[in-house]
Amino acid sequence: MADHSYDYDLFVIGGGSGGVRAARIAAGHGAKVALAEEYRMGGTCVIRGCVPKKFMVYASDYGHKLKEAQKFGWDVKIGEFDFPGFMANLHAEVDRLSGLYMSGQVNAGVDVFEERAEFVDAHTLKLVTSGKTITADKILIAVGGSPWRPSKDELPGVEHAITSDGVFQLKALPKHIVIAGGGYIACEFAHVFAGLGVETCLVYRGDTVLNGFDMDVRTEVHEGLKEAGVRVITNTVFESIEKTDNAEQPLHIKLTNDMELDADVVMMAVGRSPHINGLGLEAAGVTVGDRHEIVVDNYSKTNVENIWAVGDVTRRAELTPVAIREGHAFADTEFGGNSRTFDHDKIATAVFTQPEVGTVGLAEHEARKKYGAVDIYKTKFRPMKNMLNGKSERVFMKVIVRQEDQVVVGAHIVSPDAGEMIQMLGIAIKMGATKQQFDETCAVHPTIAEEIVTLKTKS
Ligand code: NDP
């Protein structure tokens, strides 16, 4: 295939979603491929992200469902939540998946090195544990990101806090948790812990969580957190975290608004950062941007002719399916004779709060800025199930339509199963469906989703 003076045609750094997809597809196209992973195969999504997080969401939600079941006639006795037992099941599944990721690579003919790789130069990598040096014609950086947190100088006592990585290592369920942040991770875990009966407090520096999302969605989620029993403190940040001898709540937190809180676990969910420290990008000559992201073009190529990057390390959209598509497009382009890019427009995404957020396309403020005149359709209603189970929780749906041609340019749902709904809706919106085509689609009754094709009133 390529230049045979190199050990490999392709060397992939990172065994997460983007890396394994690119390696497997490239090997399938006949390339000689190697991949290095310093921790465990599967990366953030499988090991300490989407997958174990979703299991925790399910665990939390079962608690709600057990209570609701009583109203549907079931004589349910709700006992204790067995946190260690649940975590053992969670980790067994994570182990199984990680094993599958490994066997998928091996079966595809990829040589896997279970150690850290760092650049020596643009074609050479050093394997840190074995000390081996390996050369490759093309190199793909797919090292992902890791939780960011302030330094000890910026936040005294920050070392007492965990991040999302640490949640999966907890040996016991916290009694009182304080979470810093108001993004995806903070909101998801606030619901998880509140649902598991943990006294949960969320501290956010802004006034409404989920910055960047549609304002109505933000308001729904913000209010939903409070309804779920989360104490939400806004417009402030941590000033210090101190360890005390209080056995029940050994962490004392001071906020910049002079409030003080006590907890047994403090979690920083204040963003993630590309995992590039010590990777040797300077030695390879790879350009890094202001947000520490590796700068790439539409083909995921860096400024260096033989080096590409996909996934969270590029910070285009920090989502697993995006990394997979970027990795696949790269492998097809470079090794499959099929030059193509991944289209980052109208990516449907979900936030696994309880209820979930499903969103695709533009938020209202973005649509107004981009197109000027837009029609907004929205509804809020109590779903049928809640009539019997006594829950006051409502579903919110919003569709944003470009006025000039009636094309739907955004849809936002806050509802149970919103993630499932938005995946389907994403197809229609990606295809450029109009509001009239939504209206012509017959409802599936009785469902929550049917409301999306019966939205009548412009707001
Ligand atoms: P986000 O960027 O979503 O949120 C970070 C939060 O921390 C924001 O509320 C931000 O405030 C706040 N923050 C940032 N810096 C500070 C600071 N110095 N002090 C106090 N607060 C601060 O990051 P996450 O870590 O939640 O998630 C990272 C990414 O991972 C997401 O953007 C998403 O792409 C992905 N992800 C996707 C999931 C999914 O698909 N369901 C689940 C989890 C993660 P402000 O809003 O004011 O900037």
Side-chain angles (χ1 to χ4, degrees), residues 34 55 121 148 156 169 195 205 226 348 351 373 388 392 403 430 441:
F55 282 127
D121 61 40
W148 174 84
Q169 306 306 326
R205 67 178 175 182
K226 293 197 258 177
V351 186
L388 237 65
S392 58
Q403 220 172 63
K430 186 93 182 158
T441 305

Side-chain angles (χ1 to χ4, degrees), residues 272-287:
R272 294 178 60 85
S273 188
H275 189 54
I276 56 171
N277 278 354
L279 196 56
L281 294 177
E282 319 72 35
V286 174
T287 298

Side-chain angles (χ1 to χ4, degrees), residues 260-299:
E260 301 192 12
L261 304 165
D262 293 295
D264 53 339
V265 174
V266 174
M267 176 181 175
M268 303 298 296
V270 289
R272 294 178 60 85
S273 188
H275 189 54
I276 56 171
N277 278 354
L279 196 56
L281 294 177
E282 319 72 35
V286 174
T287 298
V288 172
D290 292 344
R291 300 185 306 145
H292 306 293
E293 80 282 14
I294 295 183
V295 180
V296 290
D297 67 11
N298 286 343
Y299 288 89

Side-chain angles (χ1 to χ4, degrees), residues 53 148 181-185 188 204-205 211 237 269-272 318-319 349-352:
K53 182 275 308 288
W148 174 84
Y184 276 77
I185 296 179
E188 290 181 342
Y204 174 49
R205 67 178 175 182
N211 197 4
V237 294
V270 289
R272 294 178 60 85
E318 292 161 83
L319 300 166
T349 179
V351 186
F352 293 100

Side-chain angles (χ1 to χ4, degrees), residues 181-348:
Y184 276 77
I185 296 179
C187 294
E188 290 181 342
F189 277 108
H191 272 288
V192 164
F193 284 113
L196 293 176
V198 179
E199 203 172 287
T200 305
C201 176
L202 184 136
V203 177
Y204 174 49
R205 67 178 175 182
D207 49 21
T208 312
V209 296
L210 290 186
N211 197 4
F213 282 73
D214 185 275
M215 196 60 218
D216 284 322
V217 168
R218 295 176 65 184
T219 307
E220 290 298 323
V221 173
H222 197 92
E223 294 308 314
L225 282 162
K226 293 197 258 177
E227 276 166 36
V230 177
R231 181 180 178 197
V232 183
I233 303 176
T234 54
N235 296 307
T236 188
V237 294
F238 287 16
E239 190 172 87
S240 65
I241 307 169
E242 213 181 298
K243 204 153 195 171
T244 68
D245 50 15
N246 176 343
E248 268 268 299
Q249 300 182 64
L251 299 173
H252 185 71
I253 303 124
K254 285 191 179 140
L255 304 180
T256 50
N257 67 357
D258 290 336
M259 284 177 75
E260 301 192 12
L261 304 165
D262 293 295
D264 53 339
V265 174
V266 174
M267 176 181 175
M268 303 298 296
V270 289
R272 294 178 60 85
S273 188
H275 189 54
I276 56 171
N277 278 354
L279 196 56
L281 294 177
E282 319 72 35
V286 174
T287 298
V288 172
D290 292 344
R291 300 185 306 145
H292 306 293
E293 80 282 14
I294 295 183
V295 180
V296 290
D297 67 11
N298 286 343
Y299 288 89
S300 298
K301 187 183 261 194
T302 70
N303 61 308
V304 179
E305 198 50 34
N306 70 307
I307 302 177
W308 288 257
V310 295
D312 286 4
V313 77
T314 66
R315 297 200 97 163
R316 286 174 282 184
E318 292 161 83
L319 300 166
T320 296
V322 172
I324 291 171
R325 292 299 183 96
E326 290 168 354
H328 202 134
F330 154 76
D332 280 350
T333 302
E334 292 304 318
F335 300 99
N338 174 17
S339 181
R340 64 190 190 85
T341 58
F342 168 65
D343 176 9
H344 290 81
D345 188 35
K346 300 191 187 77
I347 297 166

